[in-house]
Each structure stands twice: as C-alpha cells, then as structure tokens.
Amino acid sequence: MSIYYDNSNRVFHLRSNNSSYIIQIVKGEVPAHLYWGPKLGAIQFQPSLDLVERCSFNPSFLLEDKAYSLDTLPNEFPSYGNGDFREPALEVHLQDGTTVTDFRYEGYTLSKGKPRLQGLPSTYVESDDEADTLEMVLRDAKSGLKATLVYTVFNHIDAITRSVRIENLGQGKIVLNRVLSANVDFHHSNFDMLQLSGTWTRERHVHKRPLVPGIHRIDSKRGSSSHQQNPFIALLAKDATENHGEVYGFSLVYSGSFLAQAEVDQYGMTRVGMGIQPFNFQWLLEPGDTFQAPEAVLVRSAEGLGGMSRTYHKLYQTRLCRGKFRDQQRPILINNWEATYFNFDADRIKEIAHAGKELGLELFVLDDGWFGKRDNDDSSLGDWVEDRRKLPEGLGKLGEDITAMGMQFGLWFEPEMVSPNSNLYRVHPDWCLHVPRHTRTLARNQLILDLSRQDVQDYIVDSLSSVLSSAPITYVKWDMNRNMTEIGSAQLPPERQRETGHRYILGLYEVMERIVSSFPHILFESCSGGGGRFDPGMLYYMPQTWTSDDTDAVERLKIQYGTSMVYPASSMGAHVSAIPNHQVQRNTPLETRGHVAMSGNFGYELDLTKLSESECEDIRQQVGQYKELRKLIQYGDFYRLLSPFEGNETAWMFVSEDRKEAFAAYFKVLAEPNAPLCRLRLTGLDPNKSYRLQHNGKEYRGDELMYFGLAIPQLEGDFRSILFVLQEI
C-alpha cells in the first residue's frame, strides 16, 4: 500500500515513486495540504502547520483558536463563502438562494487499484497492484452535499491523480456553478509558471513567467481544449532547468472548456486550481444526483522539465491510451489533402497510392471531399454517403483496390459537424447547437451537431459504422474544424441550458467509446484543425493526434518541442509536405522536412506523382531509415537538448529503455557567417557503455557523448539538419 493513515495525528501520507504528498485533518475537520515534495523515508509524519493569528481581516472558523483561518489555511478542497477569500474549488447555488457551503471531514476509504470515472476518460491500471486509491469524504451539513475527493497514487510512476465527485444527499435542488478537479496550496510562491499557448497553426509554444501576487490563469471558453491554450501548467523552482530542479506538473484529462490557474495570495502562498471552465457552466443536481468532475494528473519531478515530461509520456502512453495500437508501431502514411484538396477522382487517388507503395509507404489516407457533394467546404457535412461522381465504383471498391496494392486504406471524417447545405440539416435543423431567435454563427461554413442529444449521438454512430463496415478501412482521421457559439440545446429545459457544453463533451466521449469499441482494428487519429483538441481526454479514445495543420518544418520545431512537454512522440502525427509550404510559403530541404517529421508518427502529405527521381530516392531512404528507428522513436525515452525558443538551434533525442540505442536530431534554422564550432551534448545514455555512430562507424563512450558531446559539422545554408544514430557496441 502506498497510502498510509496515521490515526493519532490524522495524517494521510501518499507516497509515489520519488515523492510524498501529505494531508492532515486539522481542527474544525478541514483537510489541509501539508507537503508535496521529495519522498520521505518515515511513513509517520509529525504535522507542523505554521499558522498564526494575522488580523481581523482573516476570519477564524474556530472561535477558540483564531490562528485557524480558512483565509490562511492550505486547504485541499476550498469552497466559497466561509472565510477563504481565494479562488474556491467549489461554488454552488442553494435552493434558498444562498451560496455558502462549509465542508467538513467525515471519513475515508482506502483501496487497491484505481476506479474508472463514470462517463469520462481517465488513466487506468491493468492490475490492482499498480496503484492505491484514497477516497476522502467531506460533507456540508446544511445543504446535504457530499464531496468525495479521489486520490490515486501509481506505485511505479511518479504521478498522483485527483478528481472529485459531488452528490446531493439533501432535500432541495442545488446548482453547481464551479467544480474544479484539483486544488493544491503550496506554502510559498518562489516559482515560475510554464504554459503551452498559441493559435491555429502555431500551437503549444512554451511560455514561462514568474509568479507575482494575483492570479495567473490560462483557460478555454471555446467548447474545446483549444489551439490557444493547452489544459496543462507547470510550476518550476527558480533554479529548475530541462534536466535539474523541482517541477510540478498539472494536466487535465478533459477535452472541453477548462481553467488552470495559480493564485499568489497576500502571504506568498500559491493556490493551483484546475478543472472545467466555470464561465457559462452550471449543473443542476436534483436530490440523489451525482456529478463527476474530470481527472487531473499531478506529476512532481526532481529532474527538471525533462523528468516531468518523461513521467507524463510513460503514463499517457501506457495507462491512458488503450487498445491494440497502444503498443503497436504505427504505419507510415500518405495523405492526399495537400496534393489534391477537393479535386480528385478514384483514378487520381489510386495513382498517388501506387506511388506511395513504390516508395515504401504503408497506408493511404483519403481526406476531405469523398462524400455527399463535397467539392468545397460549403456543403455535405453530415451526409456520410460516398460521392459516386468521384468514386463511381464506390468507397469499398476503392479501398479494395488500394489494399490490393499492399497498402492499408484510411479515411477522413468530421462527424461532429453539419453543413447548412446538407440533407441532414434540411431534415433536422434543430440538431445543431443553437439558441432560439439568435443567428446561427457559421465557421468554415458549418455548424456543430448537438452531441448532448441521444438521437444525434445515435445518428453519428450509425452513419459512421455503416461507412466503416463498407470498406477495408484500418485508419480514421477524426476532425473538428470550429469552436462553439450559441451553446444551447433544443432538448434541454431552461434551467439546464448552461449544462450544454459539458453534456456535449460527455456525448462526444460516449460516441467515441461506441465507435472505437466496435472497430478495434482501426487506428483512430484525432484532429481539430490540427492541434485544437490535443489533450489527454482525446488520447484515451484515439492514441494519436494530428499535431498541427502547419507542416512547415521550421514551425514544427516549436510546435513539436512544446507538445513534448506533456505528450509522447507516439501521440504526434508529423508529415512531410510540399514546398513552398502551404502555410508559410517557406522552402526547406526535403532532408530537414523528413528529419522533423521522423520525430513523431511519420507520414507524407504531398503529391508523390510529381516528384523527381532524386526526390523519390531521398524519400525511399527516409522511409527505410524510419522503419529501422520506428520502435525507438515511438516508444523510447525522449530528451530535449536545445530549445527553439532560446536560439537558432533545436535538438532532441530518443533513447531505448535499455539504453542500447539512441537517435538524436539537430536542426539549425538560419545560416551564420563564420559561425562558431559547436558540440551537441547528448543525455540519457549509459555512461559506462560504448556506442558506435551509424553514419561513420566511430566509437564513443556514453560519458564522452554526454559530457563532451558530438561535433556538429558545418552546415551550409538555411534550415539544415543532421541525424545521429547510435548503437551499443
């Protein structure tokens, strides 16, 4: 058991691989956060809360001890209205119109393993010996609300998960206005906060800022986790670097609007809160009803950002992703989108697929335009019926012809959308998100289907299942190309309209669960205009995500580097595209485009039939090399070496678990006149092993490679790169 309870001091000690997380039930029956830091050797912990009486502006909830003020207490689950003036984790509206709750400790249970969350994605265990779970029960006597704080400690991964379950055991209706999944009160504010921010085609750039008094917030109000902010933040000790120092990570397993924030109070304490976005959220709890909040994954690392990232990678790769493809090497694909856009027919598609087969590719993906009357983006979403003008013999025959070439066949869908110009919308105009008497705002000429409705969920499942059963499909790209406006549902009563956004996400999860369970042989890749919904919630259903619609190699350095802060390489779709690049019009060498794309799930997105023979030969070599390195790249340990946010160079590497092989990639964006000579110091190797460099046969010791490094040759021109492949001798 990795969770211990000391009854004499009323202390819970949660111990993961290298960390301890300690909670004490203090006077007044409130769970206080005592410690989260390096693992403590003694199971018993002598509590020492440094609380003193401050002033009359810090009200005390105990008349006999004025030092115990909720305004200064490090509270595990703060609620609104009873003396804590910081941001709460819970805020409700009671039937009598008041908003004050006072949660007190009632009891706990300990169990082996990890319970699943009802209707929500979450990390999991395959054996009860992998984790232990604490469920701490709090109750508000006046309202009858019961809050169950759920903590799971993984025994072999340095991670703790948190969630909360709210039950209405009272007699009246209660409205939840705010339910955060996790709250952690640190005893100081000597941190920098790191976040992953951007926009469409510029997702998950790394930003870091020092904490100062006040609230430091990232969020999404868009109905999805968004291109603009990722549901992740980290607090870094002032001396923390990529490889050294203490880092605390917070990641939310949720795909809708979210909030993540760090609040520094008047006494220099830091409160971190994370959960569903409270803005425009409400949830009506009838007597007997329960609300389950999403899961937050907390990671502490003493090995800097890199150690934090590798913990998230291991956990999300092995205990969040599921199904056959979790541990299976992913195929190298060719996608026709940037080659043809909407302008194709069956012969043109087979021509590209045949060219891909000749170059060693393994999967052809037919993108947007194969259904309805989809000649551009202003029609047919929702009408998932093959277009016989383009595919006269049908989708099934096209798939059979491509598989007969020795290629797998994949397909693009955008199941959550509907075009006003579609048969579906003409029959069911009320099936989209909308508010009566308000204009239905279009984005990319489309509306969003109301997935809070069971009939809409059933339609999506039935229509997609029909297509997926009609052809030999082994891959699906699941796209979602707009954010939510007019967030309302024709089926919900007025008092539940502000539940629509969260009910949509629950409906989406239900749809995806039904689809992926029915077609376990299909590799699903999620997408939202690229990385607009790159979050842990989606990875639970689909083990990889299209990282960004920006395929430019230089832009991808920052995008993939930032994404790697939380997400493993096996989750990142990365393609070589044509030049000039369609997003930024940059010309980069094919070699560099290949090296960047090889650092994720590799593929191509260009017209293979228009390449020169020398380009074809280069691609054959890239494909052959990736096949040799694929297992290492997709499932090895990832190390960041040089940051694109700090200079003109970027470097990263992958190391096998047994440290017998490694692959490092170095990129230089702009050429420099009379540039200094550089060495690239590797990491993650065994200092006592000897390694051979593949391209020249030279031999090095691991300690030499890590402490002295490899000489970087002079690279001529802009946007250049070089790979280093190492094997143990």
Side-chain angles (χ1 to χ4, degrees):
M1 179 68 71
S2 55
I3 303 175
Y4 306 90
Y5 180 60
D6 175 4
N7 187 55
S8 60
N9 290 308
R10 308 185 77 193
V11 169
F12 294 93
H13 189 170
L14 288 63
R15 304 207 310 172
S16 59
N17 247 11
N18 299 297
S19 301
S20 287
Y21 187 108
I22 298 176
I23 307 163
Q24 182 188 14
I25 309 303
V26 299
K27 298 177 182 180
E29 307 300 308
V30 175
H33 179 79
L34 263 62
Y35 177 85
W36 185 19
K39 188 173 184 177
L40 302 178
I43 293 174
Q44 286 192 321
F45 179 83
Q46 296 300 319
S48 178
L49 265 181
D50 300 323
L51 295 178
V52 296
E53 183 179 352
R54 296 285 188 170
C55 67
S56 62
F57 288 94
N58 301 127
S60 173
F61 65 92
L62 289 179
L63 296 179
E64 68 275 16
D65 191 344
K66 294 182 180 180
Y68 281 87
S69 169
L70 288 178
D71 199 28
T72 59
L73 188 77
N75 197 337
E76 280 291 295
F77 189 67
S79 60
Y80 173 75
N82 201 31
D84 189 339
F85 297 104
R86 296 163 292 180
E87 293 270 303
L90 181 73
E91 192 263 316
V92 306
H93 190 171
L94 304 178
Q95 188 161 299
D96 64 4
T98 62
T99 57
V100 176
T101 52
D102 183 12
F103 282 88
R104 302 297 177 99
Y105 173 77
E106 185 174 89
Y108 75 96
T109 59
L110 295 179
S111 60
K112 298 190 72 62
K114 184 177 190 295
R116 295 290 179 98
L117 299 190
Q118 183 66 37
L120 286 164
S122 63
T123 55
Y124 60 89
V125 296
E126 293 186 338
S127 165
D128 283 347
D129 293 334
E130 293 180 14
D132 298 299
T133 295
L134 163 68
E135 296 197 359
M136 184 186 299
V137 177
L138 312 179
R139 191 185 295 267
D140 176 53
K142 177 175 182 268
S143 67
L145 275 177
K146 174 183 174 183
T148 303
L149 312 186
V150 183
Y151 302 76
T152 294
V153 182
F154 287 87
N155 294 326
H156 303 296
I157 302 175
D158 209 13
I160 297 173
T161 66
R162 287 191 60 177
S163 64
V164 60
R165 188 170 62 249
I166 306 295
E167 299 174 70
N168 182 2
L169 302 181
Q171 301 301 311
K173 298 179 180 180
I174 295 173
V175 175
L176 305 179
N177 292 327
R178 178 189 185 99
V179 187
L180 300 189
S181 300
N183 184 93
V184 178
D185 283 353
F186 292 88
H187 295 256
H188 67 91
S189 58
N190 195 28
F191 293 115
D192 291 324
M193 187 175 105
L194 185 143
Q195 64 194 64
L196 304 177
S197 305
T199 185
W200 175 70
T201 67
R202 192 162 36 83
E203 300 93 334
R204 289 173 303 285
H205 282 206
V206 177
H207 296 269
K208 187 173 72 170
R209 49 179 160 151
L211 293 187
V212 298
I215 296 176
H216 308 71
R217 171 182 293 147
I218 64 165
D219 66 0
S220 169
K221 304 178 185 72
R222 297 170 176 267
S224 66
S225 50
S226 85
H227 299 85
Q228 288 70 27
Q229 306 288 355
N230 197 260
F232 161 82
I233 58 173
L235 296 188
L236 287 62
K238 290 296 185 179
D239 61 350
T241 64
E242 179 63 32
N243 298 309
H244 304 284
E246 202 158 43
V247 174
Y248 297 87
F250 301 81
S251 175
L252 188 66
V253 186
Y254 188 63
S255 306
S257 297
F258 75 93
L259 170 71
Q261 64 183 31
E263 178 182 8
V264 178
D265 73 5
Q266 58 192 324
Y267 299 116
M269 294 175 62
T270 303
R271 170 168 290 178
V272 175
M274 172 174 273
I276 293 173
Q277 169 65 259
F279 180 82
N280 200 42
F281 166 84
Q282 281 185 342
W283 197 272
L284 175 62
L285 280 182
E286 300 276 1
D289 284 355
T290 298
F291 180 84
Q292 175 64 61
E295 178 173 277
V297 180
L298 283 55
V299 167
R300 176 195 162 271
S301 166
E303 298 176 346
L305 284 167
M308 177 203 70
S309 296
R310 286 184 289 279
T311 298
Y312 276 120
H313 295 176
K314 183 177 181 180
L315 180 64
Y316 286 175
Q317 191 172 67
T318 65
R319 293 299 181 266
L320 178 67
C321 295
R322 301 175 299 160
K324 147 182 191 181
F325 295 98
R326 184 191 74 177
D327 306 315
Q328 191 173 99
Q329 295 178 40
R330 314 288 168 76
I332 305 171
L333 64 82
I334 172 64
N335 182 299
N336 72 294
W337 178 242
E338 290 193 13
T340 67
Y341 293 103
F342 296 101
N343 186 26
F344 61 83
D345 58 21
D347 290 339
R348 184 81 178 92
I349 292 302
K350 286 187 281 188
E351 184 182 17
I352 296 173
H354 179 74
K357 174 61 179 176
E358 291 296 305
L359 296 175
L361 278 64
E362 300 159 325
L363 165 67
F364 175 84
V365 180
L366 177 59
D367 211 284
D368 195 357
W370 58 267
F371 55 93
K373 297 180 180 178
R374 184 80 165 169
D375 296 326
N376 49 48
D377 64 8
D378 69 359
S379 77
S380 302
L381 289 173
D383 298 342
W384 300 111
V385 180
E386 62 208 357
D387 183 354
R388 290 282 180 153
R389 298 171 305 151
K390 296 179 181 178
L391 309 176
E393 295 183 281
L395 193 64
K397 182 61 166 62
L398 176 63
E400 291 169 1
D401 290 345
I402 289 175
T403 55
M405 299 176 191
M407 292 276 280
Q408 297 179 54
F409 181 55
L411 200 61
W412 177 96
F413 284 95
E414 195 169 3
E416 302 163 61
M417 299 294 149
V418 62
S419 302
N421 182 15
S422 68
N423 293 332
L424 178 64
Y425 188 79
R426 284 185 278 272
V427 175
H428 296 290
D430 62 325
W431 274 17
C432 67
L433 294 177
H434 69 281
V435 175
R437 299 179 299 282
H438 284 266
T439 300
R440 301 183 180 190
T441 304
L442 296 178
R444 201 177 180 244
N445 301 308
Q446 59 199 52
L447 297 164
I448 303 179
L449 290 171
D450 180 3
L451 268 68
S452 72
R453 299 175 55 138
Q454 187 65 52
D455 50 1
V456 173
Q457 295 175 31
D458 292 342
Y459 173 80
I460 294 174
V461 171
D462 292 345
S463 58
L464 265 64
S465 297
S466 178
V467 174
L468 296 176
S469 301
S470 71
I473 296 167
T474 60
Y475 167 99
V476 163
K477 181 178 179 181
W478 183 300
D479 211 343
M480 193 268 197
N481 277 306
R482 63 158 295 180
N483 292 140
M484 292 183 184
T485 56
E486 295 83 51
I487 305 175
S489 173
Q491 278 201 341
L492 292 176
E495 64 271 20
R496 291 191 180 273
Q497 284 298 314
R498 291 177 71 177
E499 299 177 9
T500 305
H502 182 57
R503 286 186 180 275
Y504 177 98
I505 297 298
L506 295 177
L508 171 64
Y509 290 154
E510 173 64 21
V511 166
M512 291 193 297
E513 182 67 34
R514 291 168 64 185
I515 290 286
V516 302
S517 298
S518 297
F519 298 92
H521 66 285
I522 293 179
L523 170 60
F524 287 86
E525 178 177 274
S526 68
C527 176
S528 179
R533 207 163 56 185
F534 202 134
D535 60 66
M538 296 303 292
L539 290 182
Y540 183 77
Y541 303 97
M542 303 181 182
Q544 63 188 58
T545 299
W546 179 227
T547 312
S548 176
D549 277 351
D550 192 337
T551 54
D552 173 65
V554 174
E555 290 298 312
R556 272 298 185 108
L557 294 175
K558 290 183 176 180
I559 293 169
Q560 291 175 206
Y561 187 97
T563 303
S564 75
M565 286 289 166
V566 191
Y567 306 101
S570 62
S571 69
M572 288 189 242
H575 298 172
V576 175
S577 61
I579 54 171
N581 174 265
H582 290 196
Q583 290 79 48
V584 299
Q585 301 302 306
R586 190 177 357 245
N587 289 291
T588 54
L590 179 57
E591 179 181 54
T592 302
R593 283 176 278 155
H595 291 169
V596 175
M598 286 171 65
S599 300
N601 289 321
F602 192 37
Y604 292 84
E605 194 157 333
L606 44 74
D607 192 342
L608 298 175
T609 66
K610 294 182 179 179
L611 300 178
S612 67
E613 184 51 44
S614 65
E615 289 174 319
C616 288
E617 183 55 35
D618 288 342
I619 288 178
R620 287 190 189 94
Q621 292 180 9
Q622 286 179 355
V623 169
Q625 185 171 38
Y626 186 76
K627 288 178 179 178
E628 292 178 1
L629 297 170
R630 173 162 41 191
K631 181 179 179 181
L632 172 62
I633 292 169
Q634 294 181 357
Y635 298 104
D637 292 332
F638 182 77
Y639 295 85
R640 293 178 292 267
L641 305 179
L642 296 172
S643 170
F645 298 99
E646 297 177 0
N648 191 40
E649 302 166 295
T650 303
W652 50 56
M653 66 182 293
F654 301 85
V655 182
S656 63
E657 186 175 2
D658 59 12
R659 298 197 283 181
K660 290 184 176 181
E661 60 178 332
F663 157 66
Y666 169 87
F667 308 92
K668 187 169 185 177
V669 176
L670 296 178
E672 299 174 88
N674 198 23
L677 299 178
C678 298
R679 301 190 71 85
L680 180 65
R681 289 196 293 179
L682 307 184
T683 191
L685 302 174
D686 187 331
N688 299 311
K689 291 183 185 293
S690 293
Y691 297 88
R692 179 179 290 110
L693 196 57
Q694 187 182 78
H695 74 274
N696 62 15
K698 290 185 177 180
E699 298 178 3
Y700 305 86
R701 279 180 54 85
D703 53 4
E704 179 185 354
L705 292 167
M706 292 194 292
Y707 309 139
F708 184 57
L710 285 169
I712 300 296
Q714 293 288 308
L715 300 174
E716 297 181 358
D718 296 335
F719 322 129
R720 296 299 308 278
S721 63
I722 186 170
L723 300 186
F724 301 99
V725 180
L726 297 158
Q727 296 280 348
E728 181 189 8
I729 300 172

